Amino acid sequence: MSTTVKGPTPGSTVRTAGYVHAAAWILGLAAAWGATPEVGDTPAGITAAYADRPVQAMAQALLVHGVAAVGLLVLGSGVLDWARRTGNTAAGWAGWAGRAAGALAGAQLVLELIAISGADPASPGRTGALFEAVQRTDGVKMLALATLAAATCAVSRHGHNTLLRRWEIVIGWALAVTITVSGIGYLLLHTAVTPVAFISLPLLLIWIAALGAALGRRP
């Protein structure tokens, strides 16, 4: 008698990726809450924060720009797979936007690790420039996530191939609007707009988890 060990189904993998993305962000924020620099800080302040708390800063970077990035890549692939199976070619744009967001998060991780490991209070200019690059990349990533949300919501009720429920679509459109605003703020380092991320981030975590669950429900 032989026994076949089945691995996780594609649906369960995508569902798990959505939950992991949210968990990684929550744990990352908790690991270094108030210990990492913010947009608008001076190069000296940024460097001092990294030099004083490198372990906390690295833990946060690995979680929110490492583990969460993998979740986005899996979700983007899940949307692309749904687009292929349903013949919904427009949904392909959403899938590629999700993958792009994951790749951009990975780039942020690399830049952050370089900035944290090389933080020298005697020479803050380099660390400040790297931090700025991370934030601008974050802005581009947010715009990619806005595209993911808007495109997915726009095509999720395509014909008989529904993907998202009505409440998930409402949250998705709210996310698309708010994360576009915060993305522009981070891209331009505009401190008057970046606080919108306090609205867009919770919406993102809820919606990405809901998207993963929705993709997991599809046959």
Side-chain angles (χ1 to χ4, degrees), residues 49 123 203:
S123 180
L203 292 174

Side-chain angles (χ1 to χ4, degrees), residues 33-113:
W33 186 261
T36 51
E38 301 288 343
V39 175
D41 287 352
T42 63
I46 293 165
T47 305
Y50 281 157
D52 291 344
R53 302 177 183 87
V55 175
Q56 288 174 275
M58 285 190 178
Q60 184 180 83
L62 288 168
L63 286 164
V64 305
H65 295 143
V67 177
V70 175
L72 289 175
L73 289 169
V74 173
L75 281 162
S77 297
V79 175
L80 280 172
D81 183 60
W82 177 71
R84 285 191 292 266
R85 285 186 287 107
T86 60
N88 191 339
T89 54
W93 289 101
W96 283 111
R99 282 186 170 181
L104 287 164
Q108 286 181 274
L109 174 61
V110 172
L111 291 171
E112 273 189 301
L113 292 179

Side-chain angles (χ1 to χ4, degrees), residues 5-196:
V5 179
K6 294 183 178 181
T9 64
S12 66
T13 299
V14 179
R15 184 186 305 112
T16 300
Y19 298 147
V20 167
H21 176 270
W25 262 100
I26 293 169
L27 291 173
L29 291 174
W33 186 261
T36 51
E38 301 288 343
V39 175
D41 287 352
T42 63
I46 293 165
T47 305
Y50 281 157
D52 291 344
R53 302 177 183 87
V55 175
Q56 288 174 275
M58 285 190 178
Q60 184 180 83
L62 288 168
L63 286 164
V64 305
H65 295 143
V67 177
V70 175
L72 289 175
L73 289 169
V74 173
L75 281 162
S77 297
V79 175
L80 280 172
D81 183 60
W82 177 71
R84 285 191 292 266
R85 285 186 287 107
T86 60
N88 191 339
T89 54
W93 289 101
W96 283 111
R99 282 186 170 181
L104 287 164
Q108 286 181 274
L109 174 61
V110 172
L111 291 171
E112 273 189 301
L113 292 179
I114 295 172
I116 296 165
S117 61
D120 180 3
S123 180
R126 177 173 176 270
T127 301
L130 286 168
F131 178 81
E132 179 179 308
V134 170
Q135 305 316 306
R136 292 188 188 276
T137 303
D138 205 13
V140 179
K141 182 186 72 179
M142 290 181 192
L143 296 178
L145 289 167
T147 302
L148 168 64
T152 303
C153 290
V155 302
S156 64
R157 305 187 74 83
H158 176 71
H160 298 292
N161 299 312
T162 57
L163 176 62
L164 299 176
R165 297 164 179 167
R166 190 171 300 277
W167 70 269
E168 294 166 337
I169 293 174
V170 171
I171 292 178
W173 282 117
L175 168 64
V177 172
T178 56
I179 206 168
T180 295
V181 175
S182 58
I184 292 171
Y186 275 81
L187 182 61
L188 302 179
L189 302 180
H190 200 308
T191 56
V193 180
T194 52
V196 178

